[in-house]
């Protein structure tokens, strides 16, 4: 994780001051942020949160900016592709928050409900593809008579297996 100005302050010191890195912030399965039961309605704040997601050294998801970091509960994939565009022989996914990530077609997989996922960042982060992103890839997707789903682009074809847990 990149350092913040508050990294030198321990959780114990924060607690002594009546503060905590624990929050009620949630990123739900669909890629929406909530503060408790209330949706984060401001598009700019939600986009900032999406850009700030990192993993702590202990593996917990955090929202990290230049000043501080706080923990959040991620109920599905930590990254969400809102749209996709074919560029030459590759695909660029536009993530919530505006970041872009190249699609690694060999990592495509689908959950039992048919939702598509891929791997991003260092290959260990799950990206959930929103319906719009899948529709934008329609020309690359195919399903045969036996139900095998594939992705084809640039003369290459990749099987998209169904997996029990697409987050792994």
């Amino acid at each position: 994780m990149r350092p913040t100005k508050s990294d030198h302050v321990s959780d114990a010191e924060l607690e002594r001051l009546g503060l905590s890195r624990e929050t009620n912030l949630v990123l739900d399965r669909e890629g929406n942020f909530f503060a408790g039961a209330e949706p984060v309605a401001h598009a700019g704040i939600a986009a900032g949160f999406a850009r700030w997601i990192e993993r702590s050294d202990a593996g917990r998801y955090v929202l990290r900016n230049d000043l501080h970091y706080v923990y959040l509960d991620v109920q599905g994939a930590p990254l969400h592709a809102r749209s996709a565009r074919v560029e030459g022989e590759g695909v660029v996914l536009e993530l919530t928050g505006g970041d872009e990530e190249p699609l690694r077609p060999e990592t495509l997989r689908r959950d039992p409900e048919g939702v598509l996922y891929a791997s991003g960042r260092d290959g260990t982060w799950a990206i959930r593809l929103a319906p719009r992103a899948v529709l934008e890839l329609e020309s690359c997707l195919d399903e045969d008579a036996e139900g095998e789903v594939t992705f084809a682009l640039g003369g290459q074809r990749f099987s998209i297996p169904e997996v029990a847990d697409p987050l792994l």
Side-chain angles (χ1 to χ4, degrees):
M1 272 191 328
R2 63 186 166 91
T4 70
K5 292 182 179 180
S6 70
D7 281 356
H8 68 283
V9 181
S10 70
D11 287 349
E13 178 67 12
L14 286 173
E15 186 175 336
R16 190 184 69 72
L17 296 170
L19 303 171
S20 174
R21 287 191 172 92
E22 298 295 336
T23 70
N24 67 350
L25 294 173
V26 174
L27 174 61
D28 76 1
R29 185 174 186 267
E30 304 294 323
N32 302 303
F33 287 95
F34 288 83
E38 294 296 316
V40 174
H42 191 283
I45 292 173
F49 284 177
R51 287 190 306 272
W52 295 346
I53 293 177
E54 293 187 19
R55 261 193 306 239
S56 71
D57 294 338
R60 288 187 69 185
Y61 289 106
V62 299
L63 296 179
R64 176 180 287 277
N65 61 25
D66 292 339
L67 300 174
H68 194 57
Y69 71 92
V70 296
Y71 300 112
L72 79 152
D73 178 23
V74 176
Q75 298 179 338
L79 303 176
H80 294 261
R82 296 295 183 203
S83 65
R85 67 180 182 278
V86 176
E87 289 187 351
E89 294 188 5
V91 172
V92 176
L93 301 174
E94 182 182 334
L95 305 181
T96 303
D99 289 342
E100 293 185 342
E101 181 84 26
L103 174 67
R104 297 172 182 169
E106 70 278 5
T107 70
L108 283 167
R109 58 215 179 256
R110 55 194 165 96
D111 70 12
E113 298 170 356
V115 176
L116 291 182
Y117 291 79
S119 295
R121 291 197 178 165
D122 64 0
T124 66
W125 288 69
I127 304 171
R128 185 179 198 266
L129 279 67
R132 175 181 168 186
V134 174
L135 284 173
E136 292 167 339
L137 295 176
E138 182 180 22
S139 65
C140 301
L141 298 170
D142 193 24
E143 183 174 1
D144 66 18
E146 289 79 40
E148 182 182 3
V149 180
T150 60
F151 175 88
L153 184 64
Q156 291 188 297
R157 181 173 296 281
F158 301 89
S159 178
I160 305 176
E162 181 178 311
V163 297
D165 187 352
L167 303 178
L168 298 177

